[in-house]
């Protein structure tokens, strides 16, 4: 565990704002957290042979490998990989896979590719859940947060995996917005899933709407081009406008001036921990983990 000293950096005022909201009231503050796939890479492997949690790029290659297997499809394969670099292209590739093989096969592929039970929650999962968040929302399919919650004794988390569980589970709760392994599908993955989400999963959308109107929202484990980040931040911008509280994207972001301005135009305020003075002393390859801690 790292030791921290009082320090300053350009986004320190936003850290204080987030801290104030988090600890404002008891037993819940006025801050919610939405957890993305990057946070799952802080989990602990259960054995030396555990597979890594896939990135969006790795999921893309897995889809391409199954769609374009013939030697004479090399040009199509390379084109699909290039196009999937854009978020719309990636979602369209998942849609193409569903059209080719069916939804059941797509859901089965996700179960195969996300090695949920090869990992146990890490210390960062427990540290996160010990904080008095008003809501813990996640787009992740894995069960790391749920399993970590059993080790938190000062908060009794209720798990919401499906629409039918929303009315009977009160705060504090962990809300699985995009499905949950092993069997709470559909897993939100394709272009059509995102297009129809607001209608098909209206109770989840209303839950997020209410949380964003009441609470400052902290986004952890997201990158600026993560499809889930783009979906939810775009939705907040389109449907809530100035009614939202602040939305903070927190992490080792290392943003350019132009990318930072683009996020701010979307009403997302970056807390870029790449500017922490101590960050230059962190081990190579560990910046994201140390920043999150």
């Amino acid at each position: 565990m790292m030791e921290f000293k009082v320090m300053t950096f350009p986004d320190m005022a936003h850290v204080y704002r987030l801290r104030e909201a988090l600890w404002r009231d008891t037993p819940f503050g006025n801050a919610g957290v939405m957890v993305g796939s990057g946070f799952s890479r802080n989990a602990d492997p259960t054995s030396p042979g555990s597979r890594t949690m896939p990135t969006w790029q790795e999921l893309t290659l897995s889809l391409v490998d199954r769609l374009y297997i013939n030697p004479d499809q090399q040009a199509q394969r390379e084109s699909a990989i290039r196009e999937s670099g854009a978020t719309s292209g990636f979602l369209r590739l998942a849609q193409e896979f569903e059209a080719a093989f069916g939804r059941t096969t797509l859901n089965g592929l996700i179960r195969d590719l996300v090695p949920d039970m090869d990992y146990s929650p890490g210390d960062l999962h427990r540290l996160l859940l010990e904080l008095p968040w008003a809501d813990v929302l996640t787009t992740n399919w894995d069960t790391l947060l749920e399993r970590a919650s059993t080790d938190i004794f000062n908060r009794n988390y209720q798990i919401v995996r499906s629409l039918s569980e929303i009315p009977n589970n009160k705060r504090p709760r962990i809300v699985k917005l995009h499905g949950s392994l092993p069997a709470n599908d559909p897993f939100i993955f394709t272009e059509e899933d995102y297009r129809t989400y607001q209608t098909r999963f209206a109770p989840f959308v209303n839950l997020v709407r209410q949380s964003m109107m009441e609470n400052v929202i902290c986004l952890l484990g997201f990158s600026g081009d993560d499809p889930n980040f783009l979906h939810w931040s775009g939705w907040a911008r389109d449907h809530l406008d100035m009614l939202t509280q602040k939305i903070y994207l927190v992490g080792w972001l290392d943003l350019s001036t132009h990318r930072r301005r683009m996020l701010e135009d979307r009403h997302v305020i970056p807390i870029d921990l790449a500017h922490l003075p101590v960050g230059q002393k962190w081990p190579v390859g560990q910046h994201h983990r140390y920043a999150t801690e």
Side-chain angles (χ1 to χ4, degrees):
M1 190 71 65
M2 291 184 298
E3 293 184 2
F4 287 98
K5 296 180 180 179
V6 175
M7 60 185 72
T8 59
F9 73 111
D11 295 324
M12 199 66 191
H14 299 311
V15 175
Y16 286 136
R17 174 71 181 94
L18 185 55
R19 183 183 67 175
E20 176 190 352
L22 186 63
W23 296 97
R24 177 172 295 149
D25 296 318
T26 56
F28 316 113
N30 290 123
V33 62
M34 183 179 284
V35 181
S37 59
F39 200 85
S40 296
R41 299 179 83 84
N42 298 306
D44 295 330
T46 55
S47 72
S50 295
R51 296 170 294 156
T52 58
M53 287 286 186
T55 63
W56 284 106
Q57 291 77 11
E58 290 164 345
L59 288 173
T60 295
L61 289 177
S62 296
L63 293 173
V64 170
D65 287 343
R66 289 159 174 80
L67 283 166
Y68 302 102
I69 61 175
N70 296 328
D72 61 354
Q73 294 179 306
Q74 184 62 28
Q76 293 170 296
R77 172 188 169 85
E78 293 174 358
S79 176
I81 292 174
R82 285 195 304 272
E83 291 175 2
S84 67
T87 301
S88 58
F90 172 80
L91 301 180
R92 195 169 301 120
L93 185 66
Q95 189 72 45
E96 183 179 346
F97 185 94
E98 181 184 5
F101 302 112
R103 188 72 201 205
T104 299
T105 302
L106 178 61
N107 288 339
L109 178 64
I110 291 171
R111 293 188 185 94
D112 291 340
L113 293 178
V114 181
D116 186 29
M117 300 313 295
D118 284 7
Y119 287 83
S120 57
D123 56 340
L124 297 191
H125 288 85
R126 289 180 282 273
L127 285 172
L128 178 72
L129 295 181
E130 285 173 352
L131 295 171
W133 303 105
D135 282 306
V136 178
L137 312 169
T138 181
T139 56
N140 294 346
W141 301 316
D142 62 62
T143 62
L144 291 164
L145 287 170
E146 301 95 292
R147 286 184 277 145
S149 71
T150 63
D151 295 328
I152 308 302
F153 302 109
N154 61 334
R155 297 172 67 75
N156 181 26
Y157 280 99
Q158 305 294 304
I159 314 301
V160 179
R161 303 178 187 86
S162 64
L163 300 180
S164 63
E165 292 177 324
I166 293 177
N168 299 320
N169 289 293
K170 306 301 181 185
R171 291 174 175 169
R173 59 197 172 189
I174 297 171
V175 183
K176 307 296 292 288
L177 295 170
H178 284 183
S180 183
L181 292 166
N184 287 94
D185 52 40
F187 305 115
I188 304 304
F189 194 35
T190 70
E191 187 177 49
E192 186 70 3
D193 291 337
Y194 282 89
R195 188 187 72 81
T196 61
Y197 188 90
Q198 186 170 340
T199 301
R200 294 171 61 204
F201 297 94
F204 274 145
V205 173
N206 289 337
L207 187 154
V208 174
R209 182 196 300 267
Q210 189 69 27
S211 188
M212 285 186 168
M213 290 176 65
E214 294 175 350
N215 305 304
V216 168
I217 298 294
C218 173
L219 305 175
L220 283 178
F222 291 96
S223 62
D225 56 357
D226 185 316
N228 293 326
F229 164 74
L230 294 172
H231 168 72
W232 284 107
S233 62
W235 174 85
R237 183 175 70 255
D238 293 343
H239 297 280
L240 299 180
D241 196 29
M242 299 308 293
L243 294 177
T244 59
Q245 299 278 357
K246 297 297 184 183
I247 300 174
Y248 294 104
L249 176 64
V250 185
W252 184 275
L253 306 174
D254 199 17
L255 297 172
S256 67
T257 301
H258 304 298
R259 189 168 286 260
R260 184 183 184 95
R261 182 167 297 172
M262 181 183 70
L263 289 170
E264 291 170 344
D265 287 344
R266 294 174 174 173
H267 305 304
V268 175
I269 299 174
I271 297 180
D272 192 350
L273 301 178
H275 295 298
L276 282 172
V278 71
Q280 307 309 314
K281 302 177 182 178
W282 291 340
V284 175
Q286 293 294 311
H287 294 95
H288 289 283
R289 177 186 170 82
Y290 276 61
T292 302
E293 186 178 333

